[in-house]
Amino acid sequence: MRVLVAGSGGREHALVWKIAQSPQVERVLAAPGSDGMSEATCYPDVSAGDGTALIELAKREAVDLVVIGPEDPLAAGVADVLREAGLAVFGPSAAAAQLEGSKYFARAFMSRHDIPQPAFARFTDLDEALAYVAEQGGPCVVKADGLAAGKGVAVCDGPEDAAAALREIMGDRRFGAAGDEVLIEERLLGEEASYYAISDGTHVVTLAPAQDHKRAQDGDVGENTGGMGAYAPAPVVDAAVEKRTLEEIVHPTIRGMREEGHPFVGVLYVGLMIRDGVPKVIEFNVRFGDPETQALMLQMDGDLVPLLDGAARGTLDAAPVPGTSDAAVCVVLASGGYPRNYETGIRIEGIESAEADPDVVVFHSGTKREGPGFVTKGGRVLGVTARGSDVSTARSRAYAAADRIRFEGQHRRGDIANRALPGRGR
Ligand code: AMP
Ligand code: GLY
């Protein structure tokens, strides 16, 4: 098989790395890909959002399966145009991608299908939104409705910081048109987890529960980021929570989308808040998580490709389900200043030395090849990922490897996966 992965981030690098190991796969292509993706032939001139160019490339290179990594092309309907051109595609239609592309669509869908979630209200007018938070009084969460690269969310302790967030999103339009509409949600308490369900629109195969670390600083403080690290499996999703998540959230969502005429093909990423064993949906995403995927791909024992291909072709029920015996941890090395402003073009040292450990893979999120090595090119630069027989072993390996990588201004968290360590954090 020939598999084309659309995208260029750390998540796509992890997918490319895993797909390349499949005995069924003869060749992996990536568009645009990145300088760090040594496992794939990259096509830097083909953007992940350019349906016409992807079709041309896929036909020219006789690609059997296209896997779309990021949310923007999915929201823009790239999966639809590829399917119309006769290609097998892993990734939802634009209609199904609204589960991520519009937070209000997702909330209204969950209301229709009795899927557990926080109370919410929607506003298009700044003054009305300000009046609402003042009247409610307590903690809340303010969200730009549209896509804002995981950053258009403010978790607020009270009406003052909620008002500031509303002014930033709706008044200053920090996230552009994504802030034309906002949701104000009940602030849920508990512990978060990411749960992944691959679906062909009918059947479901789930992956190991994972946990992301979204805040910039240790101890879950600082700004929300795209994700500073991840690990799997996450013990907060025990067997009972997993059962409830499947019965109350995953199956009703896949069934509801099918019944509403938008069958969900791809991976449904359920952002969960779990309290006293009760899971509720914080958000849906319609693609793999970054950096959870880096950890999940290392942690998965078997072949991912039959799942991706089975989902794309509507035959997921016939795909062998890979084992997931090990644990994995991904520590993100970010540019100083991320998620706000940061410099790029800074030389990175030590990637090879970090990868000398056979249980470590360094996935590239934002790097560029320059001379013999790499320089920084993005906010999140590398995902240093390690596997181990348990989270604690994988964590030690990931940090030992991360210690070998240096670039000026590097920022990372020191507490990735601490929650899963015996006797810690929970
Ligand atoms: P989202 O982009 O919707 O995942 O939101 C980013 C982060 O904000 C989540 O990972 C949570 O940490 C937090 N968050 C979002 N919605 C809520 C909520 N209703 N209650 C508590 N925390 C939330
Ligand atoms: N890990 C967070 C995200 O991918 O949105």
Side-chain angles (χ1 to χ4, degrees), residues 111-188:
S111 298
R112 287 197 292 282
H113 296 276
D114 287 323
I115 293 168
Q117 63 171 334
F120 66 97
R122 174 213 210 189
F123 295 92
T124 52
D125 182 84
L126 176 59
D127 291 330
E128 284 174 27
L130 289 170
Y132 177 82
V133 294
E135 178 200 312
Q136 294 279 311
C140 68
V141 180
V142 174
K143 299 186 174 181
D145 179 68
L147 293 175
K151 291 164 212 149
V153 174
V155 179
C156 305
D157 294 323
E160 292 79 24
D161 46 339
L166 286 168
R167 289 201 175 89
E168 197 177 23
I169 295 173
M170 301 184 90
D172 308 341
R173 294 170 62 92
R174 181 168 165 212
F175 305 104
D180 287 347
E181 287 179 36
V182 297
L183 290 188
I184 300 173
E185 297 181 358
E186 169 197 2
R187 179 170 164 185
L188 297 176

Side-chain angles (χ1 to χ4, degrees), residues 212 214 226 269 285 287 289-292:
D212 181 15
K214 284 197 173 131
Y269 159 160
N285 294 312
R287 35 92 194 161
D290 189 335
E292 292 96 316

Side-chain angles (χ1 to χ4, degrees), residues 34-341:
S34 75
D35 289 353
M37 287 182 191
S38 53
E39 306 83 355
T41 314
C42 293
Y43 296 84
D45 297 335
V46 178
S47 99
D50 187 343
T52 312
L54 287 171
I55 291 167
E56 201 269 318
L57 172 63
K59 299 238 152 149
R60 190 179 73 224
E61 301 296 331
V63 162
D64 301 291
L65 173 68
V66 184
V67 179
I68 301 179
E71 59 272 25
D72 290 323
L74 294 167
V78 168
D80 305 72
V81 299
L82 266 57
R83 265 186 209 111
E84 279 157 26
L87 295 163
V89 184
F90 182 84
S93 65
Q98 290 179 90
L99 281 179
E100 174 167 2
S102 165
K103 291 181 192 287
Y104 178 68
F105 174 92
R107 289 287 177 226
F109 171 87
M110 285 181 258
S111 298
R112 287 197 292 282
H113 296 276
D114 287 323
I115 293 168
Q117 63 171 334
F120 66 97
R122 174 213 210 189
F123 295 92
T124 52
D125 182 84
L126 176 59
D127 291 330
E128 284 174 27
L130 289 170
Y132 177 82
V133 294
E135 178 200 312
Q136 294 279 311
C140 68
V141 180
V142 174
K143 299 186 174 181
D145 179 68
L147 293 175
K151 291 164 212 149
V153 174
V155 179
C156 305
D157 294 323
E160 292 79 24
D161 46 339
L166 286 168
R167 289 201 175 89
E168 197 177 23
I169 295 173
M170 301 184 90
D172 308 341
R173 294 170 62 92
R174 181 168 165 212
F175 305 104
D180 287 347
E181 287 179 36
V182 297
L183 290 188
I184 300 173
E185 297 181 358
E186 169 197 2
R187 179 170 164 185
L188 297 176
L189 298 175
E191 189 171 334
E192 286 183 55
S194 308
Y195 195 65
Y196 293 89
I198 292 177
S199 182
D200 59 3
T202 306
H203 312 98
V204 168
V205 173
T206 60
L207 306 183
Q211 209 168 38
D212 181 15
H213 298 64
K214 284 197 173 131
R215 300 294 195 100
Q217 312 292 339
D218 283 20
D220 293 324
V221 298
E223 284 200 83
N224 259 315
T225 70
M228 293 298 299
Y231 70 95
V236 64
V237 184
D238 59 21
V241 171
E242 184 159 17
K243 183 164 182 281
R244 288 188 70 150
T245 303
L246 270 169
E247 285 172 3
E248 297 172 21
I249 299 169
V250 172
H251 288 303
T253 301
I254 297 300
R255 190 166 55 235
M257 290 301 284
R258 194 174 63 241
E259 283 169 6
E260 293 192 10
H262 310 306
F264 188 92
V265 174
V267 58
L268 178 72
Y269 159 160
V270 187
L272 293 170
M273 185 73 90
I274 300 150
R275 192 187 190 192
D276 300 331
V278 180
K280 292 189 180 175
V281 179
I282 290 191
E283 63 166 347
F284 283 133
N285 294 312
V286 299
R287 35 92 194 161
F288 282 106
D290 189 335
E292 292 96 316
T293 304
Q294 288 86 317
L296 286 169
M297 293 303 113
L298 232 71
Q299 182 255 3
M300 186 185 290
D301 273 343
D303 193 349
L304 174 69
V305 172
L307 300 184
L308 303 177
D309 196 53
R313 294 176 201 280
T315 56
L316 186 58
D317 51 331
V321 178
T324 56
S325 56
D326 285 356
V329 173
C330 171
V331 176
V332 169
L333 308 185
S335 298
Y338 174 77
R340 298 244 170 183
N341 298 329

